[in-house]
Amino acid sequence: MMIQGTLGVLAILPFAVSRALQGEWVMVILDLLIISGIVSLGVYGRNGANFRTVSTLFTLMYTSGMLAVISVKGPDMLFWAYPTAIGGYFMVRLKVAISISVLSAVAITALVYEALSAFQLSGFVVTYLLVCLFSYFFAARMTQDKQRLAEQATIDPLTGANNRRALDDAIESRVSLFSRRAAPVSIVIIDIDYFKRINDEYGHAVGDLFLQRFVEYLNGVIRKSEILFRFGGEEFVVIAEGRLEEASNLSEKIRGLFEQAQLIPDHAVTVSIGVAELGHEETSREWMKRADDALYLAKSLGRNRVCLAPSLESKPKTVSFDESILVEKENA
Ligand SMILES: Nc1nc2c(ncn2[C@@H]2O[C@H](COP(=O)(O)OP(=O)(O)OP(=O)(O)O)[C@@H](O)[C@H]2O)c(=O)[nH]1
């Protein structure tokens, strides 16, 4: 939007100057109104206003400017309709852009039909609609590609869970949110016990299928507000809203589910889980490390269990982490 705004100002400014030199003051005022609208919206956007709102206002503002210029100067200004329409397709949602360009076509036709022959008018309408059509296809393709790239960058292709990169971003943003709002949040790391044996006994393809079903089951048990990530091969992470106790209950639910689930007939597959609640002033790395240490303890105590890293709120921040202070949560 900044690029479009800057280009808009650079394109209009020379016209405003030359019109001032020729004494066309109505046009000068219109040009200056459009320029000041662009600048004000740019400042509004930089001050943190919602991007979608700013870009919609921006598109409406320069579309109205274009219509005003045509209504003052007549068909000589019709060429401004094309860049205005193209800009809309890259600024606002496609449905909104279509509505704006159709309404603009109708308004422009109403403004110039008396001054143009039927042939000239139909020539304008056809070329204007063609420009809108090409812009639509181009912008739609761009939006699809953007969505696909964003998915490829953040989704694990095997299981459809969010990937490690998405986890890193989510943890960073939770830590930064916590420093502002202190809404309690916990990390749950789930590791499938002896997963290698599944690969060894049934083959890698069955191992893959197992991981896919495992994620389906996990998605069935976590809440909509909780996000599932694939952390590594057979390790998954849930960022769970709430305190350690709530995350502990969720973890027990997950552990019990897989103990019963029989994802492979006659082959019980259990999980070990480490849980840590984010502490004040804790970094993402420290938070993750405490959860990982709790998982390590769950593994070393015999697997198929949940271990909790004690809440930092009751401990001085300076106490270095020691495995012996981990609390094992007895199996249900
Ligand atoms: N089928 C399949 N296997 C994978 C995938 N990613 C990792 N693995 C396997 O997961 C296994 C992980 O083995 P380990 O780290 O020894 O863990 P484990 O056998 O679960 O043992 P513990 O975690 O100690 O209980 C390895 O055999 C990897 O080859 C995958 O995408 N598909």
Coordinates of all heavy atoms in Angstrom, one line a residue, residues 63 66-67 70-71 78 100-113 124 128:
T63 N -10.7 6.1 -5.9 CA -11.8 5.9 -6.9 C -12.7 7.1 -6.9 O -13.1 7.6 -8.0 CB -12.6 4.6 -6.5 OG1 -11.7 3.5 -6.4 CG2 -13.6 4.3 -7.6
M66 N -10.9 9.8 -8.8 CA -11.0 9.6 -10.2 C -12.3 10.0 -10.8 O -12.4 10.7 -11.8 CB -10.7 8.1 -10.5 CG -10.8 7.7 -11.9 SD -12.4 7.1 -12.4 CE -12.6 5.6 -11.4
L67 N -13.4 9.7 -10.1 CA -14.8 10.0 -10.6 C -14.9 11.5 -10.6 O -15.5 12.1 -11.5 CB -15.8 9.3 -9.7 CG -15.9 7.8 -9.9 CD1 -16.9 7.2 -8.9 CD2 -16.3 7.4 -11.3
I70 N -13.1 13.1 -13.5 CA -13.9 12.9 -14.8 C -15.1 13.8 -14.8 O -15.4 14.4 -15.9 CB -14.2 11.4 -14.9 CG1 -13.0 10.6 -15.1 CG2 -15.2 11.2 -16.1 CD1 -13.2 9.1 -15.2
S71 N -15.8 13.9 -13.7 CA -17.0 14.8 -13.7 C -16.6 16.2 -14.0 O -17.4 16.9 -14.6 CB -17.8 14.6 -12.4 OG -17.2 15.3 -11.4
L78 N -10.7 10.1 -18.9 CA -11.1 8.7 -18.7 C -9.9 7.7 -18.5 O -10.1 6.7 -17.8 CB -11.8 8.2 -20.0 CG -13.3 8.5 -20.1 CD1 -13.8 7.9 -21.4 CD2 -14.0 7.8 -18.9
I100 N -16.5 -2.5 -6.6 CA -16.0 -1.1 -6.8 C -15.9 -0.9 -8.3 O -16.3 0.2 -8.8 CB -14.7 -0.8 -6.1 CG1 -15.0 -0.8 -4.6 CG2 -14.1 0.5 -6.5 CD1 -13.7 -0.6 -3.7
S101 N -15.3 -1.8 -9.1 CA -15.1 -1.5 -10.5 C -16.4 -1.5 -11.3 O -16.6 -0.8 -12.2 CB -14.0 -2.4 -11.1 OG -14.2 -3.7 -10.7
V102 N -17.4 -2.4 -10.9 CA -18.6 -2.4 -11.6 C -19.4 -1.1 -11.3 O -19.9 -0.4 -12.2 CB -19.5 -3.6 -11.2 CG1 -20.9 -3.4 -11.7 CG2 -18.9 -4.9 -11.7
L103 N -19.4 -0.7 -10.0 CA -20.1 0.6 -9.7 C -19.3 1.8 -10.4 O -20.0 2.7 -10.9 CB -20.1 0.8 -8.2 CG -21.0 -0.1 -7.4 CD1 -20.8 0.1 -5.9 CD2 -22.4 0.2 -7.8
S104 N -18.0 1.7 -10.5 CA -17.3 2.8 -11.2 C -17.6 2.8 -12.6 O -17.8 3.9 -13.2 CB -15.7 2.5 -11.1 OG -15.4 2.6 -9.7
A105 N -17.7 1.7 -13.3 CA -18.1 1.6 -14.7 C -19.4 2.3 -14.9 O -19.6 3.1 -15.9 CB -18.1 0.2 -15.2
V106 N -20.4 2.0 -14.0 CA -21.7 2.6 -14.2 C -21.7 4.1 -14.0 O -22.2 4.9 -14.8 CB -22.7 1.9 -13.1 CG1 -24.0 2.6 -13.1 CG2 -22.9 0.4 -13.4
A107 N -20.9 4.5 -12.9 CA -20.8 5.9 -12.6 C -20.1 6.7 -13.8 O -20.6 7.8 -14.2 CB -20.1 6.2 -11.3
I108 N -19.0 6.1 -14.3 CA -18.3 6.8 -15.4 C -19.2 6.9 -16.6 O -19.3 8.0 -17.3 CB -17.0 6.0 -15.7 CG1 -16.0 6.0 -14.6 CG2 -16.3 6.6 -17.0 CD1 -14.9 5.1 -14.7
T109 N -19.9 5.8 -16.9 CA -20.8 5.8 -18.1 C -21.9 7.0 -17.9 O -22.1 7.7 -18.9 CB -21.6 4.5 -18.2 OG1 -20.6 3.5 -18.3 CG2 -22.4 4.4 -19.5
A110 N -22.4 7.1 -16.7 CA -23.4 8.1 -16.5 C -22.8 9.5 -16.7 O -23.4 10.5 -17.1 CB -24.0 8.0 -15.1
L111 N -21.5 9.6 -16.3 CA -20.8 11.0 -16.3 C -20.5 11.4 -17.8 O -20.5 12.6 -18.1 CB -19.5 11.0 -15.5 CG -19.7 10.9 -14.0 CD1 -18.3 10.7 -13.3 CD2 -20.3 12.3 -13.5
V112 N -20.2 10.4 -18.7 CA -19.6 10.8 -20.0 C -20.5 10.4 -21.2 O -20.1 10.7 -22.3 CB -18.2 10.2 -20.2 CG1 -17.2 10.7 -19.1 CG2 -18.2 8.7 -20.2
Y113 N -21.6 9.7 -20.9 CA -22.3 9.2 -22.1 C -22.8 10.3 -23.1 O -22.9 10.1 -24.3 CB -23.5 8.3 -21.7 CG -24.8 8.9 -21.3 CD1 -25.8 9.1 -22.3 CD2 -25.0 9.5 -20.0 CE1 -27.0 9.7 -21.9 CE2 -26.1 10.1 -19.7 CZ -27.2 10.2 -20.6 OH -28.3 10.8 -20.3
F124 N -14.8 2.3 -24.5 CA -14.3 2.5 -23.1 C -14.8 1.4 -22.2 O -14.0 0.8 -21.5 CB -14.8 3.9 -22.5 CG -14.6 3.9 -21.1 CD1 -13.3 4.0 -20.5 CD2 -15.7 3.7 -20.2 CE1 -13.1 4.0 -19.1 CE2 -15.5 3.7 -18.8 CZ -14.2 3.8 -18.3
Y128 N -12.3 -1.1 -20.4 CA -12.3 -1.0 -18.9 C -12.6 -2.4 -18.3 O -11.9 -2.9 -17.4 CB -13.3 0.0 -18.4 CG -13.4 0.2 -16.9 CD1 -12.4 1.0 -16.3 CD2 -14.4 -0.4 -16.2 CE1 -12.5 1.2 -14.9 CE2 -14.4 -0.2 -14.8 CZ -13.5 0.6 -14.2 OH -13.5 0.7 -12.8

